[in-house]
Structures are given as C-alpha cells and as structure tokens.
C-alpha cells in the first residue's frame, strides 16, 4: 500500500491541472500563418541553408506538420517571396508615379520615402541579401518585377523632368544613374539591418527623414542634366518641368 507523504501538495497539483486551460487547436489558416511568419524570421536570421527540421523546431511544430502545409522547401520559399516582396508593393504607387500633374521631384520623394520606411524591413533586406549570396531565386524574381513595374516609370519621369519626349530603350548611362538612386536607398537599409549601424543619428535607427529622401532625389535629378544635354535624333525637347 502506497503511503501519501504530502496529501496537501498532491491535492493542490490535481486542482492546478483541473484549472489549467486546454491548449487551443489552431485552424488551418492560423497554423499556416504561424508557419509562414516563423519561416520569414528563420530565413532572415539563417538564410536558405538552414534545415527545415530546425525551422520546424524554432516554430514549435513537427517536421511532418511543416511538410503537410509546404510539401517542399521551394514551396515555402515561394510563399515567403510573395509575402515579403510582391505583397508589400502597393497599387497606389503605380497611380502616384503615373500622375501627370504632380511634379517629378515630389512624386519620386513621396514614393521613395514610403518605399524605404514601409517596404525595406529587416526581413526584406536580410532575405534578399541571403538569396543573392546563394541561388538568386528571390533576387531574380524581385528585380524582374522592378524592371517591369518600377524602373520604366522612373526613366519616363526623369525624361519628363528634363523635357525629353522619348520611348527609346534606356541607355546604359540612364540605367546606371537610376541604379545609383535606387541602390542608394537600399544601402540605407543595408547599414541598418546588415551592418547594425544607425542611419544618421542615434535616434534614427528605425526611420529615415523625408527631407533626406528629397536630398537624394534632387541630387539624382540634377545629375540627369548632363545625361540629356546632347540628346539628338528623334527625341525632341519641351520646356523642363520645375
């Protein structure tokens, strides 16, 4: 016969177990969201070389459950791309950049200020860099989107600012000048999320002032003056927009 040495403690333990709330069972959508959010954080820290078993452990799910929702690692990477990259592009940016009545400097400033502060998050920057260092799966898709959706609009607006009417393919100089602008904004977030440096002051680690964005846009537009100084051929000029 077993002797109860501490009946009060056993009684308290039974009471605690009875009062403990049952673990809530997640629905399909909620569980998928949990896995996706966990994968984004995991890839942002470990890159794409991390093992899915380690990912499952970090999320708190079984390896089998992870594969139930995402049968292959590529399927999970594809979903992360849609969530972090394409999913953060705002449809209103297309309308903003296509607004013919808004001054070019103002629209580029408005676009890039939102792009830097909203889109270029820690996860965005780190995952993009990891992809560039490995298989380029995400970087190739993302830059293909930029070449289709963003860069042609920026080239068009730069020409409009200079009073140039042309649908010609951008020259190498045009694209390199534009890459200096676009890449400069990405480097801001590289300093923040890769090098762990403050942007320009101890208090500005999480943000970037709109006037600093305007300074970069203005410098880019001023530099475009020499680019179109000798434009000839089928291109015609009209009064430059100020």
């Amino acid at each position: 016969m077993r002797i109860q040495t501490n009946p009060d403690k056993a009684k308290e333990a039974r009471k605690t177990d009875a009062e403990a709330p049952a673990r809530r069972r997640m629905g399909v959508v909620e569980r998928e969201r949990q896995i996706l959010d966990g994968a984004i954080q995991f890839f942002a820290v470990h890159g794409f070389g991390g093992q899915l078993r380690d990912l499952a452990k970090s999320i708190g799910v079984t390896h089998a459950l992870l594969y139930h929702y995402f049968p292959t690692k590529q399927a999970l990477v594809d979903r992360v791309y849609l969530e972090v990259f394409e999913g953060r592009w705002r449809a209103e940016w297309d309308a903003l950049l296509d607004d013919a009545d808004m001054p070019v400097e103002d629209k580029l400033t408005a676009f890039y200020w939102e792009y830097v502060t909203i889109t270029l998050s820690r996860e965005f920057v780190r995952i993009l860099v990891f992809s560039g260092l490995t298989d380029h799966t995400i970087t190739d898709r993302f830059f293909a989107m930029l070449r289709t959706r963003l860069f042609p609009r920026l080239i068009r607006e730069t020409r409009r600012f200079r009073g140039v009417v042309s649908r010609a393919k951008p020259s190498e100089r045009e694209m390199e000048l534009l890459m200096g602008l676009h890449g400069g904004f990405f480097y801001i977030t590289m300093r923040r999320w890769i090098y762990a440096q403050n942007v320009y002051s101890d208090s500005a680690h999480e943000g970037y002032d709109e006037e600093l964005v305007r300074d970069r846009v203005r410098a880019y537009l001023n530099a475009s003056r020499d680019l179109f100084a000798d434009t000839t051929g089928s291109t015609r000029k009209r009064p430059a927009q100020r």
Side-chain angles (χ1 to χ4, degrees), residues 73-110:
K73 186 175 183 179
Q74 188 59 50
L76 182 56
V77 171
D78 289 343
R79 183 63 186 279
V80 167
Y81 169 77
L82 292 175
E83 179 77 15
V84 177
F85 295 87
E86 283 195 16
R88 294 191 182 184
W89 184 272
R90 296 187 168 187
E92 53 263 35
W93 290 342
D94 297 332
L96 169 68
L97 294 171
D98 290 341
D99 186 352
D101 297 324
M102 188 175 185
V104 174
E105 181 183 309
D106 292 343
K107 72 168 64 176
L108 264 60
T109 299

Side-chain angles (χ1 to χ4, degrees), residues 1-2 15-16 22-23 25 37 39 48 83 91 101-102 110 132 145 149 154 163-164 201 208 213 216 224 228 238 240:
M1 184 175 182
R2 193 170 123 194
K15 181 179 178 182
T16 301
R23 179 176 294 180
R25 187 180 183 85
D37 289 343
F48 297 101
E83 179 77 15
D101 297 324
M102 188 175 185
M145 185 189 77
R149 199 163 186 176
L154 296 179
V164 174
S201 71
Y208 199 66
V213 175
R216 287 173 176 262
S224 69
F228 295 106
R238 62 187 179 189

Side-chain angles (χ1 to χ4, degrees), residues 148-234:
T148 301
R149 199 163 186 176
L150 177 61
F151 295 158
R153 284 185 164 98
L154 296 179
I155 291 292
R156 180 198 64 201
E157 292 304 306
T158 305
R159 290 174 175 178
R160 187 164 78 91
F161 180 82
R162 285 294 159 202
V164 174
V165 180
S166 173
R167 293 186 178 181
K169 181 180 178 180
S171 67
E172 289 184 6
R173 285 186 67 195
E174 281 181 282
M175 286 305 301
E176 283 304 308
L177 185 63
L178 178 60
M179 289 301 97
L181 173 69
H182 190 81
F185 285 116
F186 185 72
Y187 184 67
I188 293 168
T189 53
M190 286 273 291
R191 288 156 54 195
R192 181 182 299 155
W193 302 123
I194 302 298
Y195 305 134
Q197 300 294 312
N198 291 315
V199 175
Y200 63 95
S201 71
D202 292 340
S203 62
H205 185 75
E206 298 294 333
Y208 199 66
D209 191 88
E210 185 176 357
E211 285 305 309
L212 297 180
V213 175
R214 185 175 294 275
D215 288 343
R216 287 173 176 262
V217 169
R218 188 172 292 155
Y220 163 75
L221 293 174
N222 287 339
S224 69
R225 176 184 56 197
D226 294 337
L227 189 65
F228 295 106
D230 299 322
T231 303
T232 57
S234 60

Side-chain angles (χ1 to χ4, degrees), residues 112-153:
Y112 271 115
W113 184 73
E114 288 197 5
Y115 185 76
V116 171
T117 57
I118 296 173
T119 303
L120 301 185
S121 66
R122 170 183 175 274
E123 294 77 19
F124 181 107
V125 173
R126 293 183 61 87
I127 289 175
L128 191 68
V129 170
F130 276 125
S131 177
L133 293 172
T134 53
D135 62 2
H136 295 188
T137 299
I138 284 180
T139 54
D140 287 349
R141 292 177 66 180
F142 179 64
F143 279 102
M145 185 189 77
L146 293 183
R147 284 192 294 268
T148 301
R149 199 163 186 176
L150 177 61
F151 295 158
R153 284 185 164 98

Side-chain angles (χ1 to χ4, degrees), residues 45-65:
V45 173
H46 303 286
F48 297 101
Q51 299 297 314
L52 290 189
R53 289 187 181 278
D54 295 330
L55 167 60
K57 184 178 180 180
S58 71
I59 298 173
V61 300
T62 65
H63 196 206
L65 183 62

